[in-house]
Amino acid sequence: VGGGLEHFFETRQLTERLCEPLETEDYGLQAMANTSPAKWHLAHTTWFFETFILSPFCPGYRPFHPAFEHLFNSYYNGVGKPYPRDQRGLLSRPGVEEVYRYRAYVDAAMAELLSAPGDGEADIRRRTELGCHHEQQHQELLLTDLKYCWFQNPLYPVYTPLNGDGTGDSGTMDWLPLVAGVRSIGARADEADGQDSFCFDNELPRHRQYIEASELADGLVTNAEFMAFIEDDGYRRPELWLADGWAACEARRGDMDRAAPLYWLRENGQWLEYTLHGLLPLAPHRPVCHVSAYEADAYARWAGCRLPTEFEWEVASAGWGHDAAANGAGQFLGRDQLHPLSAAGSAPADRLLGRAWQWTSSAYAPYPGFRTAAGAIGEYNGKFMANQLVLRGGSCVTSRSHYRDSYRNFFYPPDQWQFTGIRLAREPA
Ligand SMILES: [Fe+2]
C-alpha cells in the first residue's frame, strides 16, 4: 500500500542497490549544474522525509545534522535558502559513509513513525507516499546524471555489462488514428484519492480538452531513421529548426561531430554511442534517445510530421499504464537493460512505454483549476510551470511502479541528458 512501511523500504533499498556499481569517487561527480552527485541524491531524498515528515509529525525528533537542512534542500524556499545547485559537487563532506548513516538514521525514525503514526496518520501516509515517488524520480536522475558525468571520462565507465544485444529489427512503424472530440485529460480524482493510485498535483484536476483528428506513430524513431536526417544535412538546414534550436546548431558549428544526439561519437567514420553498458557501436534499430526538444522537432519537420501534443498522447494511450503494471508492457527500469531496446512486433503499448521519454509540443502549464498544496511542499511542481515542455511515456530507467497514463514529465527544450526520444504525429491523410 502506498505510504506504508513496505513501500517505503522497497523504495529506499532500490536507491542503494542502484549505487552498488559505484566506486567511492563516483559518488561526488557533478559535470554540470543540471546533474547532481549520486551522494547528493542519496542525502536529498532522505532530507525530504526528515523535513516534511519527521520534523513536523514526530514529537522530539532530532535532525541527524543541523546543517543538512540547508545542504540537501533542493529548491524549497519555504524551508530556507537552499545550498547552490551548481556547487553540489564541492561537498566532499559529509562523506559517503556519513550519508549512508544519515539514511539509516532517518529510515529507523520513519519505521518507528509508520508503525505507530498516531495523530496525523492520513497526512503522514500521504507525504510518505509522495516521498517515495519523489525518491523514484531521483533514482532515475541518479542514473542519468551518473551517465552524463561518466561520459566526460575517456575510459567510458561501464555501469553494468550488456546482457544480450537487444538490437533486433524494430519492424515497420504504423499510424494509430485519433478521432476528433472532447476528451477528459488528467488523473481521475477517485483514483488519486484511492490508496493504491498516487498522482502528482500537476496531473490534476481532470478536465476536458478538444482534440482534432490526427494520427500518432505506434513506435519510436530509431537511430537509423535519425541518421538519415543527419545525412540529409538536417543539422545544416535552418528551415527545419525552431529559432532557439538553430541558434544552438550555429553555436557548435565548429564541431560537426556534435551535430548528433548527446552520446553519439564518431570514430574513424564509425558511429558509437555511450550507454550505461559502456561505449557500443550505434545500433540502427534501437530508439534514438538523448535528443533535445529542438532536435525532436526538427526531425519531425524533416519527416513531414510534427510532435504530438500531450493531450493527443494521453488520449491515444488510455489504459496503457494498466497494461504496463498488470502485463509488463514496455521497457522500464531493470537491472541489466539500461538502454532502450528495439521493439519488433510488439503491441503499441510495449513499443512506446518505457524505453525513452517522448517530447511533446505542449508547454508544461497548469491544468485548468490547478492548485498547489499549502506550505513549502506546494513548491514541488507548480513553480516550474514556465518555459518547459511536457514529456510522456517513461524511460528504460523509470521504475514501472512510477508510471501511469496521466504522468507528466517536464524538461527544458535544450535538455539532452535524460533518456528523451521522438514519437511522431501527423494530420490524417
Ligand atoms: Fe527532489
Side-chain angles (χ1 to χ4, degrees), residues 40 44 48 74-76 134 138:
W40 188 90
H44 163 71
F48 192 95
S74 52
Y75 53 64
Y76 295 84
H134 170 253
H138 279 277

Tab-separated table of all heavy atoms in Angstrom, residues 40 44 48 74-76 134 138, ligand 1:
chain	number	residue	atom	x	y	z
A	40	TRP	N	24.603	13.303	-3.320
A	40	TRP	CA	23.591	14.324	-3.052
A	40	TRP	C	22.181	13.747	-3.209
A	40	TRP	O	21.304	14.011	-2.397
A	40	TRP	CB	23.806	15.537	-3.967
A	40	TRP	CG	22.925	16.688	-3.599
A	40	TRP	CD1	23.198	17.693	-2.721
A	40	TRP	CD2	21.592	16.933	-4.073
A	40	TRP	NE1	22.121	18.551	-2.617
A	40	TRP	CE2	21.125	18.099	-3.432
A	40	TRP	CE3	20.752	16.271	-4.972
A	40	TRP	CZ2	19.859	18.631	-3.662
A	40	TRP	CZ3	19.484	16.792	-5.201
A	40	TRP	CH2	19.054	17.960	-4.551
A	44	HIS	N	19.568	13.986	-0.349
A	44	HIS	CA	18.407	14.857	-0.572
A	44	HIS	C	17.084	14.093	-0.432
A	44	HIS	O	16.113	14.606	0.133
A	44	HIS	CB	18.510	15.505	-1.952
A	44	HIS	CG	17.236	16.073	-2.462
A	44	HIS	ND1	16.659	17.210	-1.934
A	44	HIS	CD2	16.388	15.651	-3.449
A	44	HIS	CE1	15.517	17.461	-2.577
A	44	HIS	NE2	15.333	16.526	-3.491
A	48	PHE	N	14.141	14.876	2.380
A	48	PHE	CA	12.717	15.069	2.096
A	48	PHE	C	11.866	14.441	3.210
A	48	PHE	O	10.940	15.064	3.729
A	48	PHE	CB	12.372	14.449	0.735
A	48	PHE	CG	11.006	14.830	0.222
A	48	PHE	CD1	10.849	15.889	-0.649
A	48	PHE	CD2	9.877	14.113	0.611
A	48	PHE	CE1	9.591	16.242	-1.132
A	48	PHE	CE2	8.616	14.462	0.138
A	48	PHE	CZ	8.471	15.527	-0.735
A	74	SER	N	16.778	21.143	-2.009
A	74	SER	CA	16.984	21.352	-3.445
A	74	SER	C	16.530	22.745	-3.876
A	74	SER	O	17.318	23.517	-4.399
A	74	SER	CB	16.218	20.298	-4.247
A	74	SER	OG	14.860	20.252	-3.828
A	75	TYR	N	15.248	23.037	-3.633
A	75	TYR	CA	14.721	24.312	-4.144
A	75	TYR	C	13.563	24.845	-3.322
A	75	TYR	O	12.808	25.670	-3.797
A	75	TYR	CB	14.313	24.161	-5.614
A	75	TYR	CG	13.363	23.022	-5.926
A	75	TYR	CD1	12.061	22.998	-5.411
A	75	TYR	CD2	13.757	21.966	-6.761
A	75	TYR	CE1	11.191	21.965	-5.710
A	75	TYR	CE2	12.892	20.920	-7.055
A	75	TYR	CZ	11.602	20.926	-6.531
A	75	TYR	OH	10.744	19.901	-6.840
A	76	TYR	N	13.395	24.372	-2.099
A	76	TYR	CA	12.226	24.762	-1.297
A	76	TYR	C	12.560	26.019	-0.490
A	76	TYR	O	13.124	25.942	0.601
A	76	TYR	CB	11.801	23.607	-0.380
A	76	TYR	CG	11.325	22.409	-1.160
A	76	TYR	CD1	12.231	21.471	-1.659
A	76	TYR	CD2	9.969	22.223	-1.438
A	76	TYR	CE1	11.807	20.368	-2.398
A	76	TYR	CE2	9.529	21.134	-2.179
A	76	TYR	CZ	10.455	20.214	-2.645
A	76	TYR	OH	10.028	19.136	-3.384
A	134	HIS	N	8.882	10.749	-5.004
A	134	HIS	CA	9.988	11.699	-5.155
A	134	HIS	C	11.309	10.934	-5.259
A	134	HIS	O	12.138	11.210	-6.126
A	134	HIS	CB	9.992	12.641	-3.942
A	134	HIS	CG	11.191	13.506	-3.845
A	134	HIS	ND1	12.182	13.297	-2.901
A	134	HIS	CD2	11.583	14.586	-4.564
A	134	HIS	CE1	13.114	14.228	-3.053
A	134	HIS	NE2	12.777	15.021	-4.045
A	138	HIS	N	14.249	10.606	-8.250
A	138	HIS	CA	15.694	10.781	-8.053
A	138	HIS	C	16.481	9.530	-8.420
A	138	HIS	O	17.655	9.620	-8.765
A	138	HIS	CB	15.991	11.239	-6.628
A	138	HIS	CG	15.776	12.718	-6.466
A	138	HIS	ND1	16.730	13.650	-6.812
A	138	HIS	CD2	14.702	13.427	-6.053
A	138	HIS	CE1	16.259	14.867	-6.598
A	138	HIS	NE2	15.021	14.762	-6.133
B	1	FE	FE	13.955	16.417	-5.193
